Every structure is written in C-alpha cells, then in structure tokens.
Amino acid sequence: MIEVESNKILSLTITIILALAFIEKPSSLTVTSDVRYRLPAWNPPCGLTESIELLCFLVFVVDVSVKSYLIGWEEFWKNKWLMAYILTLIVSLTDWIVSLSFLCAEDVRIRRILRPFFLLQNSSMMKKTLKSINSTLPEMASVVLLLAVHLSLFTMFAMLLFARTKLFAKFSFFCVFLSSNTGIPGHSLDGQQDKEWVGYFRNLPDSLTSLLVLLTTANNPDVMIPAYSKNRAYSIFFILFTVLGNLFLMNLLTAIIYNQFRGYLLKSVQSSLFRRRLGIRAAFEVLSSLKETPANAQQSYVSVGALLQVLQKVEMDCRCKQAITRSLKMCSCDQLSATQFQKLFEELDKDAIKQHPPSPEYQSNFMQKMQFAFGHAYFGYLGNVVALANIISICVVLVMDADKQPSERDDFFLGAINCFFILYYLLEMLLKILALGLKRYLSYPSNRFDGLLTVILLVLEIATFAVYGFPHPGWRPEFMGLLSLWDMVRLVNMLIVFRFLRIIPNMKFMALVVTTLLDLVKNLRAFAGILVVVFYAFAITGIMLFKGAVVPLGNISAVNTTYDNGTLQCGTYEQLEYWPNNFDDFAAAVVTLWDVMVVNNWQVFLEAFSRYSSPWAKIYFVVWWLISSVIWVNLFVALLLENFIHKWDRRCHREPLSDIEYQRTVELMFRDVLEEPTEEELMEKLHQHPHLQLCR
C-alpha cells in the first residue's frame, strides 16, 4: 500500500515539474503564438515556480535516498540509473541556486533540459525501451551511414550536373537552332539551368539540404521542375535518387528496426516471464519454510490455509485474486507442491475475460418478443443505416448551403431532420435498455459511447428549442446566449458525425484495426513516454537557441531578408504565414517540432530559421528529424506491425464470442514462443539471491 501511494506521489511530482515549462518564462499563457498578434504573456514572479520546483526536488531527494538505502551501498555503485539520478539532482539544484542568484533573469537554465530524466528513470519499461533502442543502434547506424553515402554521392553529382556554367557547345548550338526554328529564345532555356543552381544547388550546404528534404519527398517535385523544364532527361537523376533513398534505404531501415526490436522485446518479455516465475518460486520457498518439513522429505509443500491467509493481505488484481482463491477452495488437497503452486499462479498469465451481465428475464410473451426483436443484431444494423442516412442528409444540406451567406441560410430543414434523428436515437437507446437491461447495456463500450452522445444530443436539442423555439420555415433568430443558432446546429451535427463511429464494432476488419490501436495505447505507453522525453528536451533546447529569432514583417529590418521587387517569395516562411510556428515559448516549440516531425514542408523551417538565426540551425532540425521521424516513427511502425500480426493470428484461431471480451498485455503477444524456465535454473538463481536464505 505504501509503495503504491509513493508511486502516485512520485508520478504527480514528475507531472508537476514537467508542466512548469508551460508557465515559466517564457510563458505559454497566451491565446495565440503568432508573433504578429501575440500579446505580452504573463510571466510568474521570481520565486514562484522556483518554490514549486524546490518542493519537487525534495521529493526526488527522498525517493533516491530511500532507493539507495534499500538496495545497499554495494549495489548502489553498480546501479548506473541511481548514480545518474543523484548527479541530475545535484546539477539541477546547483542551477536552481544560480537562477535565484540572478533573480531569475538568466536565459539558459540547464535544469529544464534535465527534467525529462525524472520521467525516464521512474519507468522500468521506458528504461527497457531505451535499452532496446540502444541495442538496435549499430544496425541502424549502418543504414544511416549508407544513407549518408547515398546523399553525399548524389549531392556531388547534383553540384556537377547543375553547376553555373555555360552549356556545352553542342547544346548551345541546339539552343540556337531551337530558337531560330521555334521562336523560343535560347537564353530562356539557359535560364532554367541557373534557376536550378540558384534555388537548390548554389553551394554544398544548400545542395545537401535540398536532397535531404527530397529524401522525405517534402519538396518533390519542386526541386526538379527548373531542370526538368529545360530537359526531361534530368528527371532520371531525381527519380533515381528518390527510389534508392526513400523506397529502398528508408524502408530497409524500418525492416531492420522491426527485426532487431522484435528480437529484443521478445528477449525482454522472456526475462520478465523468468522473473515472474522466480518470484512465485521464491514465495513458495518462503511459505514452505514457515512449516516444519521432515528431514527425509523429498520435496517441500505449502499449506492451502496459509496461502489463503496471505492472499487476503497481499495486494493483487481482483480478477486474479478471485480466480486463485476459487481454485484453492475447489482443491481437494491440503498441501501444494511446487508444481501445483506454480500452476495455480498461471492465472496471472491468462487473458482477462470480461463476461457481460445476463439479460433480464421477462414473463410476458409480448415482452419476450420485444426483447428478442430489439436485442437482435439486426436492430443494431438498422440503427447504423439510420445513422448513415443522418450523415448523408447533413452532407446534402451543407452542400446546398455552402455558397449562401449566413443571412440567406434557412436552418429549418437541418433543424427538423436533426430533431427527427435525435428522437430516433433516444428511442433506440431506450429499447436496447429494455431488451438488454441497464447493466448489460452499459457493459458494452459501444453502447456507452452511443448512449452518452445520445444524451448530449438530447440536452443540446432541448436547449436549442428553449432558446430559439421549434424549427419553422425561415428559422433564423438573432444571436442569443453564448452560442448562435448556427453554432448550436453545427455542434449538434458534429456530435452526430462523431456518433457514426458506432459502426466500428460491427465491421470485423475495422474493429481489428481499432482494437490494435487501443492495445498500443494501453500497453505501449513507454514508447509515448520516450517521445515525450525527446520532445521536451528538444523544445527546451529550441527555446534556448531560437527564442525571439522570428520577428514579424513590421520589424523586418532587423533581419537579413531578400525580396523580389518587394513581394514575398512563394513557398517561404513569410509567404506561407507560418508565424505561429516558432520557439518563443514551450507550447509553440512543441507544435513546431511536431510540424517538422511530420516532414510536410519542413524545408520551410530549415530555410527560415537558418536565415533568421544562423545557417547552423539546420543541424538542430536535421537531428530532430533523424530522432523523431526516422527512428521513433519507424519504431512505432514496427511495434504496430508486431501487435497487429499477433492479434490477427489470434483472431484467426479463435471463434468470436458475443458475451466475452478479451483483454491482453504485451507479454501475451509472445506467449506462444516463450520458454518456461527449468527447475534447476530457478533454484540456482534463488540460491544466489543475497537476501534469501534457503534451507535446502
């Protein structure tokens, strides 16, 4: 109980210290991050966030002290994570003191970059994930090196191919000939060569950047157009580069990450199974030592009564505890051998089975027929058809009113059909509750989702009628209350569209995909934690490097910006109005990093921040792209494939049961390929344990 509460306190402390980045200077407490419209943010007074930070540090000091005391001085020096924990706290507290001495006016705060470490060290699964990523680095490095060679070679080819030189004599003669026969000026074709050179291959950094961005297809086909306009043969160069780099090498990297990480994850799960079996065997040995065993006894036994007493005191999942207790009460023997004890606790490895409550039993023949009709799957299919008809009617009305001014729009038809469909949804929900019973109805997640949205829609519709009256021709009342009529109608329609997701459980393959994603959310939180750590560290670093670098056009004289005839160049940061994407506060930095990770138009950020700050800024964004888009996204794809393949195999070999829902864990993904540890391995490990003295 104490351990659970301490973990909750530690998790809350980590959440608080990480959330401080949103209110610390520079604060994210503004409506917009657009540098043109952003008002001065409220920054907390010096000492406010520092006091909260100090309290968090004190919690961490207590945590590391207790952990160091429990494992002992000898084990402490072997634990690199604890030593790094203490070192991080020392550096953070030192930086905290320096910050107060400068009255919180310093721009660089090292401790902010170190904060994600507290999240990392508190999760054993995140540590395993980080270790698994580290184990795949040699293989990933080989492919990244191959990508670098590929990029370097094609960069040199591009600089030679698109150099700013006069064309060869034969090609010049061809241009003159083409000009004299077609009327096209020869210098216009010559100019395309210069456009390619000026725009993309002017020097080595620009050439590397252009082809690196092309590797992600973000600037395709823009990078190719000037040369392609001159000669269609130039397209071969860009197509060959994209095929080799993007289709072969990048997908090869995904395959390597999948193969290496799957092997490590399997090994990690195997180790987890061994530790679980070892813990169960250690519990058996401790319980058996409480009872005197004859000297000539060949094996030890555990009393069933003693085990039941221990189960009443120990904290365990209720489902597992009930299953083990039920098995013990059904057992005819008074003592359990090691094999029986182990088999008893195999309940921990089984799928969690959730059985739905039974339907109510009606005595009336009419009610039984009602129950059969409205509890049948076809009634649910009818509801899906009605929901689809509702979506189609909304689409028709929106298409018809798309070009109308708000003053010309008549909301009568849309309000009338919404009223009709919401009444049907309410009737459908009540009939299902009548057929299934309230408890059974709520036991299905799809019904809870459906019912919640139906109630919200009903409340909104009643509120609309109360404020604006019932729908009638020319139903366009003036704005009243917090929302106008059109806002209320739009909100209702958005919820209706969202409600259409109810069809997912009725479509086998779509349901499989959705449950796979839900499994990832539930069981692979460690990977999201790794992403949070990386996002946090890079966001803080970006604030230190680029805070205040982007200035609005009104202050454009402060930066070195070039315009063509006073107009903004197409495709630039300014022309695309990317002003909200900056590093002036933590929230804006996180969104900017997300936009770069998606790699759509990320060359705009490379060009803008290298122009506003320094050409070396490209290194920051390229490193972020490698870590987030190349490594983490490929890692996520690999785990998604692994989860989907195992779930698909299990679905193919298991008949669907309507009244039973299966839940699974990461260990169950590999249950069919795991090896059970032998008796000798377990006893050898137990005899080596420093704190467990076995009598035999």
Side-chain angles (χ1 to χ4, degrees), residues 501 503-522 524 636 639-649 651 664:
L501 295 177
I503 69 169
I504 290 177
N506 300 121
M507 303 179 68
K508 180 179 179 181
F509 297 109
M510 188 183 294
L512 180 61
V513 173
V514 172
T515 52
T516 301
L517 294 176
L518 292 177
D519 279 346
L520 285 174
V521 172
K522 290 187 295 185
L524 303 179
F636 182 78
L639 291 167
L640 184 65
L641 287 172
E642 185 69 23
N643 199 307
F644 181 81
I645 290 171
H646 278 270
K647 182 173 281 290
W648 179 265
D649 291 341
R651 286 293 180 94
R664 54 182 310 195

Side-chain angles (χ1 to χ4, degrees), residues 11 41 72 74 94 117 158 185 201 204 239 333 391 469 477 504 510 514 541 568 575 598 673 675 681 696:
S11 299
E74 184 178 351
T94 304
F117 177 82
F201 300 102
L204 182 60
I239 293 174
C333 53
I391 295 292
I504 290 177
M510 188 183 294
V514 172
T541 306
L568 296 173
Q575 187 270 329
V598 177
V673 294
E675 296 181 0
E681 291 174 339
R696 58 188 182 89

